[in-house]
Structures are given as C-alpha cells and as structure tokens.
Amino acid sequence: MEPAVEELMPRLLPVGDCDLPDDFDPTVPPRTPQEYLRRVQIEAARCPDVVVAQIDPKKLRKKQTVNIAISGCQPAPEGYSPTLKWQQQQVANFSSVRQSLNKHRNHWRSQDLDSNVNMPKLEDEEGWKKFCLGERVYSEIDAESDHENLGIDYIKVNITLSLYASLLKATVTSVLEYLISWFGEKKFTPELGRWFYALLACLEKPLLPEAHSLIRQLARRCSEVRVLEENKNEEQVSALNLLICLVSRYFDQRDLADEPS
C-alpha cells in the first residue's frame, strides 16, 4: 500500500516500530502481540490500492433480474361494466364502513368472540383458508352431500365486527394473501367475496408495498373471472365489479378501473 494512500486511512490505534528479534519469520503463527501487529502491517502493505473483482459472466446470466410487464384488468364484456354512478355509490358506502370500523375499533376489539371461534395462528395458511371459507368450500365438497367429521363450518358461525376488529395489521395482509392465492386457482364464492370486502375494509392507508401489490393482484384476478362468466350471473358479476371498483377507485389504482358503461 502506498504511503499516500495509507495517510487517507486513519489509524485506529498508533502502532510504532516493534522490537522484534532478528530471526522474526512473518510466515509462522505469531507468538507475541508485537509479532501479530507486525504481521498485520506486512499484510496491509501487500494489499493493492485498487481491487478488481473477477466475475464470470456465465454465472450471472443464470441469475439475472427478469422484468415482467404486468397488464391491467381485463376489459369488462359488453353489458358487464358498471355505471360511474354505481361505482361512486359503492366507494361512498365502503368509505362509511371503514370510518365506522375505525371509530368503534377499540370497542369491538374488547368484545369476546364466540366461544366456538378459534382463530388460526398467523402462519397457518391452510387453517385460515378453512376458517374463512368453511370446511365445505375448502374441501370442495358438494353442499348437498352429507360428510361427517368436517369440524366447525365457520361460515355458519356469527362472524361479527369483534372478529374483524381483533385482526392485527400483519394478520390482515397475511390472510388477504392466503385468500388471493386460493382465488388464483379456485372459483369465486360468496364466502370469498365477503372476506375480501372485510379485509379491504381493515386495510390501513397509506398502503404498504405488499398490500398494494396484493390488491392489484386481486382486481386483475376478478377481471379474469368476470370475462369467463358466460351466463352473466348478476350476483357474481356485481361482486366482482365491486371488488375491482374498490381497488381501483377507493385505493387509487385508477389504471385498473372499469370504463363506465
């Protein structure tokens, strides 16, 4: 190391000339503190002023960052797009729900849940899916069939505001992620729609990046499912339109908004 460069690097501790024996060998392990410090000085002096990393380009090609262009929502089929007035009304209703929930959150959080309601642990993804969707929907069992040992079907449990108010911020994001993952591979159900609405109502603004990504994913998935609705199931289409509307217009993801019919 050049002296001029060494001057730019402040010494942590002053080290003078070490009184070493004539037979000092820097290649052998140091036996005294003086020998150790002298060995450090010698190694530092051998360091080059500039170090250039030797990178193998072939290894980098396998781990390159891939930029994927994600499109917006699928356009609504003819006759499926809601009016602007309807969308504005839904946003106003949703805003009122959120204000009421925030105003009374402490009150509802203090209320005891039903004795038969046991919320899963945060990391229990499958447990939350069963809890929110019910055993029959989760297991994809025909509602008319009779199956034993399904446990409690929480869809039949009185899910009150005290439950939603008790959900912590991290829990809301995690459960939203679990259900969106489910929705990515399964059909849309009323149970799923109710929980999506409730979880969106519990999201705090400004959104965290993770929540921002999740709700956009939700809106895109809703638009994909809506396109496949051949019989124009008005109840289901309205539910899908509502979720797209809330994500795009309440949470300001305007590029995902439906064009008014």
Side-chain angles (χ1 to χ4, degrees):
M1 183 179 293
E2 296 294 335
V5 177
E6 189 174 4
E7 290 177 0
L8 298 177
M9 303 174 62
R11 295 174 180 266
L12 182 61
L13 294 173
V15 179
D17 294 333
C18 298
D19 186 12
L20 299 173
D22 297 335
D23 60 347
F24 169 67
D25 184 358
T27 62
V28 300
R31 294 168 295 179
T32 65
Q34 291 77 12
E35 290 184 1
Y36 171 77
L37 292 175
R38 183 55 184 158
R39 184 172 179 178
V40 171
Q41 288 177 327
I42 294 173
E43 292 178 353
R46 291 173 180 171
C47 292
D49 297 337
V50 179
V51 179
V52 179
Q54 301 298 323
I55 300 175
D56 185 356
K58 296 180 180 179
K59 294 182 179 179
L60 289 180
R61 292 193 190 102
K62 298 179 181 179
K63 300 181 179 180
Q64 286 184 358
T65 301
V66 179
N67 295 320
I68 302 175
I70 301 178
S71 60
C73 287
Q74 297 284 343
E78 185 176 355
Y80 284 37
S81 182
T83 64
L84 179 59
K85 182 178 180 180
W86 183 88
Q87 295 183 64
Q88 292 172 336
Q89 184 60 52
Q90 301 310 314
V91 170
N93 294 343
F94 183 69
S95 179
S96 298
V97 170
R98 282 174 59 90
Q99 289 176 10
S100 178
L101 182 61
N102 290 331
K103 182 178 180 180
H104 303 290
R105 183 180 296 274
N106 290 335
H107 167 73
W108 288 113
R109 187 172 289 174
S110 65
Q111 304 300 307
D112 294 331
L113 298 176
D114 291 345
S115 59
N116 59 345
V117 176
N118 297 312
M119 288 195 295
K121 295 182 179 180
L122 177 62
E123 65 277 7
D124 186 3
E125 179 174 351
E126 300 307 313
W128 273 107
K129 289 176 182 178
K130 291 180 183 179
F131 183 86
C132 298
L133 302 174
E135 291 281 357
R136 292 189 180 277
V137 175
Y138 175 81
S139 304
E140 297 183 304
I141 296 173
D142 185 357
E144 296 180 358
S145 60
D146 184 17
H147 290 260
E148 299 179 353
N149 302 322
L150 285 177
I152 297 175
D153 191 341
Y154 284 105
I155 296 305
K156 298 177 182 178
V157 174
N158 183 23
I159 305 299
T160 62
L161 282 173
S162 59
L163 187 148
Y164 296 126
S166 66
L167 295 178
L168 301 177
K169 188 174 183 179
T171 306
V172 172
T173 305
S174 295
V175 176
L176 187 60
E177 181 179 5
Y178 298 155
L179 296 184
I180 290 175
S181 174
W182 168 275
F183 186 31
E185 301 176 356
K186 309 293 183 178
K187 63 182 181 179
F188 185 81
T189 65
E191 297 84 2
L192 196 58
R194 285 194 290 268
W195 270 93
F196 279 145
Y197 189 95
L199 291 170
L200 290 177
C202 294
L203 278 181
E204 296 182 13
K205 296 177 72 175
L207 296 176
L208 295 175
E210 183 181 2
H212 177 273
S213 175
L214 286 172
I215 65 172
R216 289 183 63 86
Q217 185 179 343
L218 171 61
R220 285 194 295 267
R221 178 57 180 163
C222 286
S223 70
E224 294 170 358
V225 174
R226 182 178 58 183
V227 170
L228 302 176
E229 281 291 330
E230 299 178 354
N231 299 326
K232 194 179 178 181
N233 182 328
E234 292 187 4
E235 184 176 345
Q236 178 137 315
V237 170
S238 293
L240 296 170
N241 284 344
L242 174 58
L243 294 174
I244 295 172
C245 170
L246 297 181
V247 170
S248 61
R249 299 193 180 274
Y250 183 86
F251 290 101
D252 299 319
Q253 308 301 309
R254 296 305 174 98
D255 59 307
L256 304 179
D258 281 321
E259 292 295 330
S261 58

Coordinates of all heavy atoms in Angstrom, one line a residue, residues 1-3 6 9 37-49:
M1 N 0.9 -1.2 0.0 CA 0.0 0.0 0.0 C 0.9 1.2 0.0 O 1.8 1.3 0.8 CB -0.9 0.0 1.2 CG -1.9 1.2 1.2 SD -3.0 1.1 2.7 CE -3.9 -0.3 2.3
E2 N 0.6 2.2 -0.9 CA 1.4 3.4 -1.0 C 1.2 4.2 0.3 O 0.2 4.3 0.8 CB 1.0 4.2 -2.2 CG 1.3 3.5 -3.5 CD 2.8 3.3 -3.8 OE1 3.5 4.1 -3.2 OE2 3.1 2.4 -4.5
P3 N 2.3 4.9 0.7 CA 2.2 5.8 1.9 C 1.1 6.9 1.8 O 0.4 7.2 2.7 CB 3.6 6.4 2.0 CG 4.5 5.5 1.3 CD 3.7 4.9 0.2
E6 N -2.1 5.3 2.5 CA -2.2 4.9 3.8 C -2.6 6.1 4.7 O -3.3 6.0 5.7 CB -0.9 4.3 4.3 CG -1.0 3.6 5.7 CD 0.3 2.9 6.0 OE1 1.2 3.0 5.2 OE2 0.3 2.3 7.1
M9 N -6.3 6.7 5.3 CA -7.0 5.8 6.2 C -6.5 6.0 7.6 O -5.4 5.7 8.0 CB -6.7 4.4 5.7 CG -7.0 4.1 4.3 SD -6.5 2.4 3.7 CE -7.5 1.4 4.8
L37 N 1.1 -7.8 15.5 CA 0.9 -6.4 14.9 C 1.8 -6.2 13.7 O 1.4 -5.6 12.7 CB 1.1 -5.4 16.0 CG 0.1 -5.3 17.1 CD1 0.6 -4.3 18.1 CD2 -1.2 -4.9 16.6
R38 N 3.0 -6.7 13.8 CA 4.0 -6.6 12.7 C 3.5 -7.4 11.5 O 3.6 -6.9 10.3 CB 5.4 -7.1 13.1 CG 6.4 -6.9 12.0 CD 6.5 -5.5 11.5 NE 7.4 -5.3 10.4 CZ 7.4 -4.3 9.5 NH1 6.4 -3.4 9.6 NH2 8.2 -4.3 8.6
R39 N 2.9 -8.5 11.7 CA 2.4 -9.3 10.6 C 1.2 -8.6 10.0 O 1.1 -8.7 8.7 CB 1.9 -10.7 11.2 CG 1.5 -11.7 10.1 CD 1.2 -13.0 10.7 NE 0.7 -14.0 9.7 CZ 0.5 -15.2 9.9 NH1 0.7 -15.7 11.1 NH2 0.0 -16.0 8.9
V40 N 0.3 -8.0 10.7 CA -0.8 -7.2 10.2 C -0.2 -6.1 9.3 O -0.8 -5.8 8.2 CB -1.7 -6.7 11.3 CG1 -2.7 -5.7 10.7 CG2 -2.4 -7.8 12.0
Q41 N 0.8 -5.4 9.7 CA 1.4 -4.3 8.9 C 1.9 -4.8 7.6 O 1.7 -4.2 6.6 CB 2.5 -3.7 9.7 CG 2.0 -2.8 10.9 CD 3.2 -2.2 11.7 OE1 4.2 -2.9 11.8 NE2 3.0 -1.0 12.3
I42 N 2.6 -6.0 7.7 CA 3.1 -6.5 6.4 C 2.0 -6.9 5.5 O 2.1 -6.6 4.2 CB 4.0 -7.7 6.8 CG1 5.3 -7.3 7.6 CG2 4.4 -8.5 5.5 CD1 6.1 -8.5 8.1
E43 N 1.0 -7.6 6.0 CA -0.2 -8.0 5.1 C -0.9 -6.7 4.5 O -1.2 -6.7 3.3 CB -1.2 -8.8 5.9 CG -0.6 -10.2 6.3 CD -1.6 -11.0 7.1 OE1 -2.7 -10.4 7.5 OE2 -1.3 -12.2 7.4
A44 N -1.0 -5.7 5.3 CA -1.7 -4.5 4.8 C -0.8 -3.8 3.7 O -1.4 -3.3 2.7 CB -1.9 -3.5 6.0
A45 N 0.5 -3.8 3.9 CA 1.4 -3.2 2.9 C 1.3 -4.0 1.5 O 1.6 -3.4 0.5 CB 2.8 -3.2 3.4
R46 N 1.0 -5.3 1.6 CA 0.9 -6.1 0.4 C -0.4 -5.9 -0.4 O -0.6 -6.4 -1.5 CB 1.1 -7.5 0.7 CG 2.5 -7.9 1.2 CD 2.6 -9.3 1.7 NE 4.0 -9.6 2.1 CZ 4.3 -10.8 2.7 NH1 3.3 -11.7 3.0 NH2 5.5 -11.0 3.1
C47 N -1.4 -5.3 0.3 CA -2.7 -5.1 -0.4 C -2.6 -4.1 -1.5 O -2.0 -3.0 -1.3 CB -3.8 -4.6 0.6 SG -4.2 -5.8 1.9
P48 N -3.2 -4.4 -2.7 CA -3.2 -3.5 -3.8 C -4.1 -2.3 -3.5 O -5.0 -2.4 -2.7 CB -3.7 -4.3 -5.0 CG -4.5 -5.4 -4.3 CD -3.9 -5.7 -3.0
D49 N -3.7 -1.1 -4.1 CA -4.5 0.1 -3.9 C -5.9 -0.1 -4.5 O -6.9 0.4 -4.0 CB -3.8 1.3 -4.6 CG -2.5 1.5 -3.9 OD1 -2.3 1.1 -2.7 OD2 -1.6 2.2 -4.6

